[in-house]
Amino acid sequence: MLDILLVDDEPTIRLSVGDALRAAGHRVTLAGDGAEAMASIEAKVFDVVISDMRLPKGDGMTIFRTLRDEAPSTDVILITAFGDVQDAVAAMKEGASDYLTKPFDIDVIRLRLERIAERRQLKSELEQARAQLAAEAP
């Protein structure tokens, strides 16, 4: 189960994707604009933030860059209705987990989230193994 912040100014997308992610077993917080997203990010660390690129009161790249600096363990998936190759390349080069264009199939997001959850689990197990080895070392 991942703790997810979903940011989109379109209520139908925000609510339908949020419901689908909850049904998949994730904890989901919703935000309708950049200001709500930033307030949520300041209050809590999320495992994953899924954010639209173009938002009222902010934008997805600003949210992504804030997270990269303040919560680097948070994975970010950026979504947009305006598929701009330059934006996608820039986001991926800067470390975004993924970049999707609307309309998207909810199964695509579920698959991305499964991969993120698996990677986070493996990283946690590796850190635990390293800590155990360090504790056992003379």
Side-chain angles (χ1 to χ4, degrees):
M1 175 191 324
L2 296 169
D3 205 357
I4 301 170
L5 173 62
L6 175 61
V7 188
D8 199 304
D9 60 325
E10 295 179 43
T12 54
I13 290 176
R14 187 172 62 245
L15 297 174
S16 63
V17 172
D19 288 346
L21 296 179
R22 283 186 190 101
H26 302 292
R27 287 184 301 265
V28 181
T29 301
L30 302 177
D33 61 40
E36 284 181 38
M38 297 304 277
S40 293
I41 290 166
E42 288 174 14
K44 179 179 184 178
V45 175
F46 293 91
D47 297 321
V48 180
V49 172
I50 301 170
S51 178
D52 195 359
M53 286 291 290
R54 296 184 183 183
L55 297 163
K57 302 178 186 174
D59 64 83
M61 284 303 287
T62 300
I63 292 167
F64 165 62
R65 289 179 177 135
T66 298
L67 286 164
R68 187 187 58 205
D69 293 340
E70 297 178 13
S73 66
T74 299
D75 287 281
V76 179
I77 298 173
L78 296 169
I79 55 176
T80 186
F82 308 95
D84 184 346
V85 174
Q86 288 179 328
D87 286 344
V89 169
M92 297 303 284
K93 280 185 177 180
E94 290 187 42
S97 297
D98 215 330
Y99 189 99
L100 304 173
T101 56
K102 294 177 187 175
F104 51 82
D105 187 334
I106 190 63
D107 290 333
V108 171
I109 288 185
R110 282 193 201 121
L111 179 61
R112 301 302 199 281
L113 292 172
E114 285 176 22
R115 288 182 184 157
I116 288 169
E118 289 171 3
R119 192 185 80 251
R120 293 176 78 85
Q121 179 64 32
L122 288 171
K123 184 177 179 183
S124 174
E125 290 172 7
L126 179 60
E127 289 170 359
Q128 289 174 0
R130 285 182 177 159
Q132 185 176 0
L133 285 172
E136 294 172 0

